Amino acid sequence: MTLQQLEYIVALDTHRHFVTAADSCFVTQPTLTLQIKKLENEMGTLIFDRSKHPIEPTKTGRQVINMARQILREVNSLKDYVNTEKDNLSGTFRIGVIPTVAPYLMPRFLKHFSDNNPKISLKVREIESEQIIHDIKHDLLDIGIMATPLEESNIREIPLYNEPFLLYIAQQHPLYTRKAVTPEDLPENGLWLLNQGHCLRDQVLSICNQRKTSKIENITYESGSIETLRNLVKSHMGYTLVPELSVIDLKDDFRIKRFEKPEPTREISLVVHKGFSKEAVLENLRDSIMKNIPDSFVKAKKINRIRWR
């Protein structure tokens, strides 16, 4: 038994004519006739007396049709409820943001979003990528903001922007005086990395095509902070790669150097479970973010998107 079959018997009861009923359902008359016959066979009873002209429901058929009408009313009511809910801009939503995005992106748009959506409450946590994926799958988070693509079958990705990676390099480093730098120019020695677990670490290693080490001469340093890595470079040691938003306000810092185009970039997206239905919340969240990031992130034509998994 299907909802479509119920729609067909209701239409036939309404019009008492197979062709007219089929037209009202936007199907052919043979299709409607076949589906009604299948339903009668499944139920083991005739719903319509075909010997009558015009056709009439049987005694049992009247009861079946009445229940079918009630079921279809309730289904339509459910659809109306869901449509209302998905456009409802209220409620509390749990958001997870990776640590290499949160301190640089969230202050840019949260006030704009809050001012324009006063009935929405956001609970924001800074957590690493794999934990965001786990928590969305287990209904511990509603929305993630993280680097993509993920290629997870039950997670939906809504791309936001492509953020370039920049070099942050000590003045004494051999690459400092180079006018143009490509990823192929980056040496193995002198690279500072984030701790394992940060997707940014994997992206940087992919750009540099290097081993998973972070060592300067006799020093090994595991950091969870981009700021720490930059301070290590400021101490005249080595270099690191940073996302552009993390240094966008440091325009006078001579240690910042861009790569030759196409620049290596990371894609940042909203991610939700495929069952998440609050489309209006996602649309407004995306709108607030897009209005508060550099235009160049969106308009960049030539990009070299770096994956982390």
Side-chain angles (χ1 to χ4, degrees), residues 95-98 101 105-106 109 129 132-133 136 142-151 155-163 199 203 266-272 282 285-286 289-290 293 305-306 308:
I95 298 182
V97 191
I98 57 175
V101 166
L105 175 65
M106 306 307 282
F109 80 89
S129 299
I132 290 178
I133 294 169
I136 286 178
D142 300 304
I143 303 168
I145 302 178
M146 62 185 299
T148 52
L150 305 179
E151 296 180 349
I155 289 182
R156 174 184 168 204
E157 302 173 15
I158 302 99
L160 295 170
Y161 57 85
N162 293 297
E163 179 179 21
C199 59
Q203 289 172 314
R266 64 174 181 175
E267 179 184 75
I268 302 299
S269 301
L270 297 173
V271 298
V272 295
L282 294 177
L285 195 56
R286 187 178 190 279
I289 292 172
M290 300 306 286
I293 59 171
R305 187 176 296 118
I306 306 299
W308 67 273

Side-chain angles (χ1 to χ4, degrees), residues 45-235:
T45 186
L46 289 177
I47 299 173
F48 292 96
D49 183 349
R50 291 162 175 77
S51 66
K52 300 290 182 65
H53 297 284
I55 194 170
E56 291 181 4
T58 62
K59 182 178 179 180
T60 301
R62 292 192 193 97
Q63 295 300 318
V64 171
I65 292 167
N66 286 339
M67 286 188 282
R69 290 185 186 276
Q70 180 62 29
I71 290 169
L72 292 174
R73 276 195 295 270
E74 291 178 358
V75 168
N76 288 330
S77 176
L78 178 60
K79 288 179 180 178
D80 290 341
Y81 170 77
V82 170
N83 287 335
T84 299
E85 277 297 294
K86 74 178 183 180
D87 294 330
N88 182 20
L89 287 169
S90 64
T92 298
F93 298 91
R94 303 159 296 176
I95 298 182
V97 191
I98 57 175
T100 58
V101 166
Y104 315 112
L105 175 65
M106 306 307 282
R108 287 179 165 268
F109 80 89
L110 278 179
K111 185 177 186 305
H112 178 275
F113 182 85
S114 179
D115 289 347
N116 287 277
N117 300 277
K119 294 183 179 180
I120 291 180
S121 174
L122 300 181
K123 293 185 176 180
V124 182
R125 287 192 292 145
E126 290 189 27
I127 48 179
E128 293 176 3
S129 299
E130 294 291 355
Q131 191 65 47
I132 290 178
I133 294 169
H134 173 275
D135 288 358
I136 286 178
K137 287 181 177 179
H138 292 83
D139 195 28
L140 300 173
L141 277 179
D142 300 304
I143 303 168
I145 302 178
M146 62 185 299
T148 52
L150 305 179
E151 296 180 349
E152 293 278 346
S153 60
N154 52 1
I155 289 182
R156 174 184 168 204
E157 302 173 15
I158 302 99
L160 295 170
Y161 57 85
N162 293 297
E163 179 179 21
F165 285 96
L166 305 182
L167 270 169
Y168 196 78
I169 191 163
Q171 192 170 2
Q172 289 75 17
H173 196 281
L175 288 180
Y176 179 81
T177 56
R178 293 277 295 271
K179 292 184 178 180
V181 179
T182 69
E184 290 74 23
D185 299 324
L186 301 179
E188 180 175 336
N189 294 328
L191 172 63
W192 295 112
L193 292 168
L194 291 174
N195 296 338
Q196 291 193 23
H198 290 276
C199 59
L200 185 72
R201 173 192 178 98
D202 298 310
Q203 289 172 314
V204 169
L205 286 168
S206 177
I207 293 169
C208 301
N209 192 27
Q210 294 189 14
R211 299 193 307 269
K212 296 186 177 182
T213 58
S214 179
K215 188 173 182 179
I216 305 291
E217 297 178 347
N218 63 334
I219 302 172
T220 300
Y221 199 108
E222 293 286 328
S223 174
S225 163
I226 290 175
E227 307 309 311
T228 300
L229 299 186
R230 288 201 298 108
N231 286 330
L232 288 168
V233 172
K234 284 182 180 180
S235 298

